[in-house]
Amino acid sequence: MTVKIFGHKNPDTDTITSAIVTATIEKELGGDAKAYRLGEINKETEYALNYFNVEVPELLESVNDNDEVMLVDHNEFQQSADGIEQATITSVIDHHRVANFETNAPLYFRAEPVGCTATILNKIYKENNIEITKEMAGLMMSAIISDTLLLKSPTTTKQDEEALHELSTIADVNYETYGLDMLKAGASTKDKSAKTLITGDAKSFDMNDNHVRIAQVNVVDLEELFERKQELTEEMQKESNEENYDLFILVVTDILASDSRVIAIGENNTVIERAFDVALDDNEALLTGVVSRKKQVVPNIEKAFKSLYE
């Protein structure tokens, strides 16, 4: 049976490249595996795949009880493929929190507190004495650049830095020049619809019985996007009504200034004020020094929700 490997819905660069790299590792170890994606790739990921001449993985609509799967860059079922509860999960390689996850059989589970799944995959290559090709090095390098915002994110660890230097050497690429070009490729918002902007990199979380949606957009010009605030707010409200979100947060991150501005829609949107010690003005606030959804946004909001119910 061919094992299906995929990352989370609304895939980012780490998700797509980690699926490709993991499938390559599995094949090198004698397994039968294939990388998939659970959604359309973004411009940043497209830039990386084109640069290293790697094909976009096939779209996977759902899985069932006949499938064996490996999860990369996620483990929470609400972020995974439709039908994931029925599939046999053989392996997880991730760098996020572990939540809403269970299996009926033992599995290989590797979750490490690093900035990127690719950093773990780089270790797996070395642990198994597998030679890293220029293409796979380039993809892992791209993922680390993306997830750590060129090592500026607070999620960045020494392991990420070391891996990025190793992989850029193998790929024979100046990671700073390449990385800025790659990030900029995904940062333009002019040609993107409001719906694309709020769904392109969005994840759902359950926090104290609240269904929370957190979307993130990386930009180099905050004003370019906030000129469309009313359009974005209306689209967020529409999706909240359709999906019954208690809180919908759009985090707009300036990748050059390393700050974010948020728009928060929902009855509990004042939880943002409690989480970040800010005041919302027309559902909007500046979060100075906040760039990481995983390490700064989600944990702070979770703590704020818990304090509301204490």
Side-chain angles (χ1 to χ4, degrees):
M1 178 181 293
T2 301
V3 177
K4 297 177 178 177
I5 304 176
F6 48 84
H8 55 73
K9 293 179 178 178
N10 300 315
D12 55 17
T13 300
D14 189 24
T15 273
I16 294 294
T17 59
S18 290
I20 296 169
V21 171
T22 302
T24 301
I25 292 173
E26 286 299 301
K27 292 173 184 176
E28 287 287 339
L29 294 174
D32 186 4
K34 181 177 178 179
Y36 290 88
R37 58 184 169 90
L38 301 186
E40 297 304 314
I41 63 170
N42 59 39
K43 293 294 185 181
E44 178 190 283
T45 307
E46 181 181 24
Y47 181 93
L49 295 180
N50 287 342
Y51 191 97
F52 292 102
N53 196 28
V54 177
E55 291 185 2
V56 178
E58 181 182 334
L59 179 66
L60 182 66
E61 299 287 354
S62 63
V63 293
N64 55 51
D65 57 5
N66 294 318
D67 290 320
E68 289 189 359
V69 305
M70 296 178 65
L71 309 184
V72 293
D73 197 35
H74 78 297
N75 63 80
E76 299 188 47
F77 280 5
Q78 71 268 24
Q79 298 173 8
S80 198
D82 293 343
I84 190 64
E85 298 87 353
Q86 284 75 48
T88 300
I89 303 173
T90 64
S91 177
V92 174
I93 303 174
D94 193 15
H95 69 121
H96 295 92
R97 71 175 190 173
V98 179
N100 306 313
F101 178 87
E102 63 178 326
T103 63
N104 292 322
L107 75 162
Y108 177 84
F109 196 108
R110 185 164 181 170
E112 298 187 22
V114 292
C116 183
T117 308
T119 300
I120 306 171
L121 295 176
N122 185 52
K123 290 183 187 180
I124 294 174
Y125 261 108
K126 293 189 286 188
E127 290 164 3
N128 289 278
N129 295 312
I130 304 172
E131 181 179 354
I132 304 175
T133 65
K134 180 178 180 179
E135 290 77 16
M136 293 304 105
L139 294 188
M140 288 187 282
M141 176 191 73
S142 301
I144 295 172
I145 290 169
S146 176
D147 268 17
T148 68
L149 292 178
L150 264 175
L151 305 179
K152 293 179 181 178
S153 170
T155 62
T156 307
T157 68
K158 186 67 174 177
Q159 296 177 61
D160 299 304
E161 292 182 30
E162 293 173 350
L164 181 56
H165 285 94
E166 290 175 9
L167 293 166
S168 63
T169 298
I170 297 170
D172 193 24
V173 171
N174 181 310
Y175 74 82
E176 292 178 321
T177 302
Y178 167 84
L180 193 56
D181 288 342
M182 186 191 79
L183 291 173
K184 286 182 176 179
S188 176
T189 62
K190 289 182 179 179
D191 61 344
K192 297 176 182 176
S193 68
K195 184 174 181 62
T196 297
L197 289 168
I198 69 166
T199 60
D201 182 9
K203 294 182 179 181
S204 297
F205 302 88
D206 292 322
M207 302 181 183
N208 280 80
D209 295 325
N210 288 275
H211 192 29
V212 181
R213 186 73 161 174
I214 305 177
Q216 185 168 27
V217 179
N218 292 334
V219 301
V220 292
D221 184 352
L222 283 172
E223 295 309 318
E224 176 186 290
L225 187 138
F226 273 85
E227 288 175 356
R228 303 169 61 186
K229 180 181 176 182
Q230 181 176 348
E231 180 187 0
L232 291 166
T233 302
E234 290 174 355
E235 194 64 42
M236 291 169 67
Q237 189 63 64
K238 178 182 177 182
E239 184 159 322
S240 289
N241 293 339
E242 292 174 352
E243 302 296 334
N244 294 316
Y245 296 134
D246 297 296
L247 179 63
F248 195 133
I249 303 161
L250 175 62
V251 183
V252 185
T253 300
D254 186 330
I255 60 176
L256 300 181
S258 297
D259 293 323
S260 295
R261 276 160 70 178
V262 298
I263 301 172
I265 301 299
E267 291 184 4
N268 289 326
N269 69 344
T270 54
V271 76
I272 295 295
E273 299 182 327
R274 182 183 291 257
F276 299 100
D277 193 24
V278 295
L280 286 173
D281 181 9
D282 191 23
N283 299 324
E284 177 187 331
L286 174 67
L287 307 185
T288 303
V290 173
V291 298
S292 171
R293 175 171 51 195
K294 181 181 73 172
K295 195 165 186 177
Q296 294 173 299
V297 178
V298 173
N300 279 22
I301 295 174
E302 282 188 316
K303 289 177 184 177
F305 265 121
K306 287 179 182 178
S307 68
L308 285 175
Y309 294 95
E310 288 178 350

